[in-house]
Every structure is written in structure tokens, then in C-alpha cells.
Amino acid sequence: MAGIILKLPYLEELGTNVIYMTPVFASTTNHKYDTTDYYSIDPQFGDLDTAKFLVSEAHTRGIRIIFDAIFNHCGDTFFAFQDVLKSGKALKYADWFFIEDFPIVQRPKTNYETFTNDVFTMPKLNTKNPEVREYLLKVARYWMEEAGIDGWRLDVANEVDHDFWRAFRIRRPACSSTTVRGSRK
């Protein structure tokens, strides 16, 4: 994020009015689509203060910031999946995922749904589950309120429960009132 902050004057000069940030949440991989912690910026990119500063500086230039919403799946190091790996079906988090049977098997072939072709490190979240839905809606609200981001790019939106997206649309916080290219949001 620091590199983007340094380039904001250049981006403004180019006429940029939106910056879409690919996954920025804490993760164990370079691609970051296997979220470990939805409430933390990956240390490679900065932290909450860095995100706030980026958004603030971008807004002064009429540039909006959009984060990537990885709500179809998480990483296998995500707290809820780790809990299920350790404790099995007895825990409340077992229903956060689509698990065929217990104990969980990650290799050579998973016994739970994943993002694409048994990628064991990316278990699919059950967004029909009210607790999962509430957790992810709070994540979305948190980043809009705490960091001031302007919106979300919805990763694999077609694979997430449609009722979840309806709730997401209804319960999202009001967007910021930044001026972008002469129009009031």
C-alpha cells in the first residue's frame, strides 16, 4: 500500500478515479485468495493505519478505493477451519463449511468443498449459514467504516449464496461522500 500511496499523484495525473485492490487480507500465500484473517491487512501490504492513510490520501485526489471480497472461500489457516480440523464435527464451525464426513481429509483428495478442483488450502464457506453470513457482513462493514473504503469487488460472486448477496446489498453501510470527477456520491 505504501507504494500506491507514493504513486497517488501520478495516478491522479493519469485521471484515475478508482483503485481496485486485489486481496489485501492476511494470508499465507502470494496470491492472498486464501484468507487467514479478514480483519487484518497482510503485513506485506501494511496495516489498518496504512489502509486508512491510503484511503484518505486517495479521497483527497478524488480517487476511490475498492477491496476484493473473498467471501466464497477462505484459507485453511482461517480460525474457523482450523477449529474444525482440530475438533471435528462437534464444534459450531463445522457448519461453516461443506464437509462430507469426519475426520477431515486434505490430501490426496479433500472430503470438503473447496474453491476449484480440490484446492485443499481454500475451503468453501457456507454462506447460507446465518453465522457465516453475519461474520462476513461484519467484515464488509468493518472495512468500510474503519478504513473508509468505497466498495467491494465480489470474487466468484456466482458461487456465493444469492441470499447472502441480497443481505450484503441491504446491510452495507452508506458509502463515503467523496467527490469523484465532479459528481457527488
Side-chain angles (χ1 to χ4, degrees):
M1 290 184 180
I4 296 170
I5 293 166
L6 290 173
K7 294 294 185 182
L8 283 173
Y10 172 70
L11 293 170
E12 179 183 22
E13 185 179 306
L14 288 176
T16 302
N17 61 10
V18 175
I19 297 172
Y20 153 54
M21 307 287 293
T22 57
V24 297
F25 303 126
S27 169
T28 59
T29 62
N30 289 335
H31 60 73
K32 307 294 180 210
Y33 281 95
D34 55 346
T35 304
T36 295
D37 184 353
Y38 286 93
Y39 285 99
S40 296
I41 299 290
D42 194 276
Q44 292 182 22
F45 305 134
D47 56 19
L48 175 59
D49 289 334
T50 311
K52 286 180 180 181
F53 188 68
L54 168 62
V55 170
S56 174
E57 289 298 304
H59 284 175
T60 64
R61 292 170 168 77
I63 301 172
R64 295 180 184 180
I65 302 293
I66 295 174
F67 276 10
D68 209 342
I70 317 303
F71 296 157
N72 174 63
H73 53 274
C74 60
D76 67 340
T77 56
F78 179 60
F79 81 93
F81 195 74
Q82 280 295 300
D83 205 44
V84 175
L85 278 173
K86 292 174 187 161
S87 304
K89 65 182 173 182
L91 251 67
K92 74 176 194 172
Y93 298 118
D95 289 338
W96 281 40
F97 306 94
F98 298 96
I99 302 167
E100 294 168 16
D101 53 28
F102 291 89
I104 290 178
V105 176
Q106 291 192 282
R107 294 182 194 158
K109 183 174 175 8
T110 65
N111 64 347
Y112 53 92
E113 282 189 48
T114 65
F115 172 71
T116 197
N117 301 327
D118 297 318
V119 177
F120 77 92
T121 58
M122 294 196 276
K124 183 171 174 64
L125 289 162
N126 179 6
T127 52
K128 286 184 181 182
N129 178 313
E131 292 173 355
V132 174
R133 179 176 296 166
E134 191 60 30
Y135 176 85
L136 294 173
L137 292 172
K138 285 180 181 178
V139 165
R141 181 173 292 278
Y142 174 82
W143 289 105
M144 292 183 87
E145 291 177 352
E146 291 299 315
I149 68 166
D150 299 290
W152 293 92
R153 180 257 179 188
L154 310 176
D155 186 56
V156 283
N158 63 314
E159 295 183 27
V160 174
D161 180 60
H162 292 248
D163 287 334
F164 172 80
W165 290 132
R166 286 183 194 96
F168 182 86
R169 184 170 179 255
I170 291 167
R171 296 200 34 212
R172 74 182 189 277
C175 294
S176 66
S177 60
T178 57
T179 302
V180 178
R181 310 274 282 168
S183 65
R184 205 74 172 135
K185 190 173 177 186

